[in-house]
Amino acid sequence: MPPFTRFRQLPVRDKANARRVVARAVAWGTTAVSAALVLGALLLPNRLALITPGAFAHIPVEAVVGAAVLLMLPRTPRRVAAVLAGVFLGLLTVLNLLDIGFNEFLGRGFNVVLDWILLDDAQSYLEDSLGSTTATAAAIGAGVLVLVLLALMALACLRLGEVMARNSAVATRTVLVLGTAWVVCATFGVQVAGLPVASRSTTQLVEDRVERVKATLRDEREFAKVAAVDTFGDTPGDRLLTGLRGKDVIFTFIESYGRSAIEDPLIAPGVDAVLDQKTEELRAAGYSAKSGWLTSATYGGSSWLGHSTFLSGLWIDNQNRYRTVTAGDHLSLTRAFKRTGAWRTVGIMPGVTKNWPEARFYGLDHVYDSRNLGYQGPKFSWSTMPDQYALTAFERLEHGRRHDKPLMSEIILTSSHQPWAPIPRMIGWDEVGDGSVYEGIKKAGKDPKDVFTDSTRVRTEYGKSIQYSLTSLIDYVVKYGDKNTVLVFLGDHQPLARVSGDHASRDVPVAIVAHDPAVLKRISGWGWQDGLRPGRDTPVWRMDTFRDRFLTAYGPGKGAGPYAEKCPAKPTAKTPPKPAAKPAAKSPAKPAAKTAARPAPKPSGAARQP
């Protein structure tokens, strides 16, 4: 017999008792859930790896104080205070969840001043990777989750406040016991799972967020002063880059090409094999190469911060700094080529999908973005086109044409962008055409949902994407380069923590390739490794030091920059130059400690990189 039918047949008294039992159970259950929600919000860590049962075995002082306050307030103020406390805890939980996501993807917490624009990037990334339906559903789900979370937290605090008011004597004793226990545990340093039982994590988290907001605003003012100082800002064009006159110089950023690609046990074998093979192919074609390490200003994403740091000689680790420097006249490395009047300067930017005003700062005569590279093939998840196609378009539109001047080119290769599926494959250069041939290649590739959710598979596919990008670039140089070709290529940042690991460095490989031996002779004192693969002991420089070192090495000689005295234009084997320390005026006193953990969202119009 169904339960409802049995209930209808009970006597009136039994029905009333049953209702009271059910009501009591619902009341106790609601109170228990409310308490769990509040304690969970107060104790929730902001890193996924820290979310363990032991993380919630603590006494939050904020709960003790909050309960005491609610007990002392009259009915109406108590209810108002409870609702406000619930909304606050809901917002705090949302920020903690954002911290968890940012730490997983970008290796840093969420910056409440700078990072809201990245939520739009995340939406675009999901749309490119998983489809518009999934992305829309995720956005709606996230919005609903926030609203439900705020409402539940407010109702939970309200519920607890009412229960304590109805049972004030018991509640008062409980608060006194918990308060005493907190003081004792704090005094004697009692710990559970390596963390103090007497917790004040919420207070510390709020204090940290307030301090980060202050630091962000303070950094904006201080960086404007730093950016106004430019060692090469007044250097005339005829004294810039004299050691590269007549050369076609190509600066190439390979997306997410980090140190992990060369040293991680799972990823490195394939990537290292490609680097060694391509070093030999370059040597057979008459080229030489030297490679080193640079420490990027960003990690896991926000590639434009790495690009601008490398080219400006300034440590650009957040969006405010990026806006400041790109709106000013600080000399970028690419604009130095334009200032000489000896080069035509172009950009190949397949990741740029709309207007990009920063081209002026970078000194590019012409920018080819995803809309005018002539690509008629499919997107490969986030990447708008395969790297081999982008390089083919560069050859067709610029490099393969006759020019009155040599070319200085900035090329961004995007095939190694997450989620690393599907990955293009190399085809004959004469088969590339307008890119339509890639339809079948994409269909034969892996599904990004299957790759990105598998921690082992995603590392393997990441390595394959780096192999593809490296192969595309070096094969292009071997096929289309000549005696005047100079290639400078590097990674913009390490891949996200799921691939590079929770404690990975921010180092990325950098290499210079040239046919003319005189080009590499000028950097013989840098201590770089021969070939395309830097060694473990190869020097590591901060990325913002590269511009001055490069301009000094390829300048006319002494007196042309901070490294001029110790890095002469033509070093010899007998007197190898030693790089000097970067002058304090070029960057904040301790930028790595002060701001390196705060990469920022992308600018409007730039490559959409989460």
Side-chain angles (χ1 to χ4, degrees):
M1 184 181 298
F4 182 71
T5 302
R6 291 199 301 268
F7 179 78
R8 291 179 59 186
Q9 295 177 352
L10 290 173
V12 174
R13 181 185 300 176
D14 291 342
K15 288 181 181 180
N17 289 335
R19 290 193 184 96
R20 282 195 293 271
V21 170
V22 171
R24 190 179 299 113
V26 171
W28 277 101
T30 302
T31 303
V33 170
S34 299
L37 284 172
V38 170
L39 291 174
L42 290 171
L43 295 172
L44 178 67
N46 62 354
R47 289 181 177 272
L48 190 61
L50 299 178
I51 301 179
T52 63
F56 299 94
H58 306 280
I59 304 173
V61 68
E62 299 84 6
V64 177
V65 173
V69 171
L70 292 180
L71 280 171
M72 292 186 294
L73 291 175
R75 183 173 186 274
T76 300
R78 181 184 67 245
R79 301 187 72 173
V80 172
V83 170
L84 291 177
V87 172
F88 172 77
L89 288 178
L91 292 174
L92 185 67
T93 303
V94 170
L95 292 177
N96 278 340
L97 292 174
L98 287 171
D99 268 349
I100 290 172
F102 271 64
N103 279 311
E104 283 295 298
F105 281 85
L106 300 180
R108 63 174 180 85
F110 180 77
N111 187 307
V112 296
V113 177
L114 302 173
D115 285 344
W116 295 104
I117 192 173
L118 274 184
L119 301 182
D120 178 61
D121 288 335
Q123 167 76 5
S124 299
Y125 171 70
L126 285 176
E127 187 172 330
D128 291 333
S129 302
L130 305 178
S132 58
T133 301
T134 302
T136 301
I140 293 173
V144 171
L145 176 63
V146 170
L147 294 176
V148 169
L149 194 57
L150 293 175
L152 283 178
M153 285 299 179
L155 291 172
C157 288
L158 189 60
R159 170 68 181 178
L160 293 176
E162 294 300 308
V163 169
M164 287 190 298
R166 289 198 301 268
N167 304 274
S168 59
V170 175
T172 300
R173 288 195 296 271
T174 303
V175 169
L176 288 174
V177 170
L178 289 175
T180 302
W182 191 94
V183 172
V184 171
C185 290
T187 302
F188 293 99
V190 180
Q191 293 188 344
V192 171
L195 295 173
V197 171
S199 169
R200 56 184 303 270
S201 58
T202 299
T203 302
Q204 292 171 335
L205 184 61
V206 171
E207 290 173 350
D208 178 66
R209 291 192 187 282
V210 171
E211 182 54 38
R212 277 194 281 170
V213 169
K214 292 179 180 178
T216 299
L217 300 176
R218 185 169 58 247
D219 178 74
E220 183 176 6
R221 296 190 297 269
E222 293 175 354
F223 181 72
K225 300 175 183 178
V226 173
V229 178
D230 190 349
T231 307
F232 286 92
D234 296 326
T235 305
D238 60 1
R239 288 185 59 79
L240 288 170
L241 300 160
T242 55
L244 290 173
R245 297 301 167 94
K247 307 296 184 185
D248 286 327
V249 182
I250 305 171
F251 291 97
T252 302
F253 293 94
I254 297 179
E255 170 64 37
S256 300
Y257 178 35
R259 186 162 190 154
S260 297
I262 293 178
E263 294 184 349
D264 183 275
L266 182 64
I267 305 168
V271 173
D272 289 351
V274 169
L275 289 171
D276 293 343
Q277 176 187 344
K278 295 306 172 184
T279 296
E280 293 303 316
E281 291 179 9
L282 285 169
R283 185 177 293 115
Y287 292 89
S288 298
K290 285 186 175 294
S291 55
W293 302 108
L294 299 176
T295 300
S296 178
T298 184
Y299 169 90
S302 304
S303 299
W304 61 94
L305 301 180
H307 302 167
S308 56
T309 295
F310 177 80
L311 295 173
S312 71
L314 295 169
W315 190 254
I316 313 297
D317 66 343
N318 64 56
Q319 184 62 14
N320 279 344
R321 288 186 168 215
Y322 182 84
R323 291 195 188 102
T324 297
V325 72
T326 55
D329 295 321
H330 198 90
L331 185 68
S332 63
L333 185 53
T334 44
R335 188 143 61 96
F337 281 85
K338 182 179 179 65
R339 179 181 289 186
T340 68
W343 279 273
R344 171 172 167 77
T345 58
V346 300
I348 305 296
M349 309 287 178
V352 174
T353 58
K354 47 190 174 183
N355 293 337
W356 190 52
E358 291 90 336
R360 184 204 65 81
F361 167 75
Y362 289 113
L364 300 175
D365 294 322
H366 189 82
V367 173
Y368 297 91
D369 61 29
S370 60
R371 301 168 297 178
N372 51 30
L373 283 168
Y375 184 63
Q376 300 300 316
K379 293 178 66 175
F380 283 74
S381 293
W382 185 92
S383 181
T384 58
M385 64 191 70
D387 292 344
Q388 188 180 9
Y389 178 87
L391 292 165
T392 302
F394 170 57
E395 181 65 21
R396 181 183 73 250
L397 296 169
E398 286 288 348
H399 188 261
R401 293 187 172 187
R402 184 181 297 276
H403 295 95
D404 296 333
K405 302 175 182 179
L407 277 178
M408 189 292 302
S409 311
E410 180 187 354
I411 302 176
I412 313 296
L413 299 183
T414 62
S415 289
S416 51
H417 193 286
Q418 61 185 15
W420 304 297
I423 302 171
R425 61 175 174 82
M426 292 296 295
I427 59 178
W429 291 90
D430 57 350
E431 300 176 36
V432 173
D434 65 359
S436 300
V437 67
Y438 289 105
E439 290 284 357
I441 295 174
K442 178 184 179 181
K443 290 178 181 178
K446 294 180 172 62
D447 189 320
K449 294 189 292 294
D450 296 335
V451 169
F452 200 68
T453 55
D454 187 319
S455 59
T456 299
R457 200 174 185 185
V458 72
R459 293 166 65 200
T460 301
E461 296 306 309
Y462 160 75
K464 291 179 180 178
S465 74
I466 294 296
Q467 294 173 46
Y468 169 77
S469 295
L470 290 168
T471 300
S472 298
L473 179 61
I474 302 305
D475 284 4
Y476 171 83
V477 172
V478 171
K479 182 175 179 62
Y480 295 109
D482 56 32
K483 64 180 182 180
N484 288 319
T485 298
V486 176
L487 169 68
V488 182
F489 75 93
L490 68 152
D492 47 19
H493 55 72
Q494 283 265 52
L496 52 77
R498 178 185 293 248
V499 173
S500 60
D502 292 331
H503 305 291
S505 72
R506 294 191 173 207
D507 298 345
V508 298
V510 58
I512 299 180
V513 178
H515 198 286
D516 184 352
V519 173
L520 294 186
K521 185 178 180 181
R522 283 180 171 254
I523 64 168
S524 61
W526 284 7
W528 282 18
Q529 179 79 24
D530 289 336
L532 298 177
R533 177 156 62 106
R536 289 183 178 273
D537 298 328
T538 304
V540 180
W541 302 339
R542 280 186 14 156
M543 190 177 276
D544 58 338
T545 67
F546 184 85
R547 187 204 72 159
D548 286 4
R549 292 180 187 272
F550 189 87
L551 291 177
T552 299
Y554 294 104
K558 296 182 179 181
Y563 300 101
E565 294 300 323
K566 294 187 178 182
C567 189
K570 295 183 179 180
T572 65
K574 295 181 180 180
T575 58
K578 298 181 179 179
K582 191 159 181 76
K586 284 299 296 174
S587 60
K590 295 181 180 179
K594 181 176 181 180
T595 60
R598 302 194 312 275
K602 81 169 186 58
S604 59
R608 296 179 290 105
Q609 301 184 26

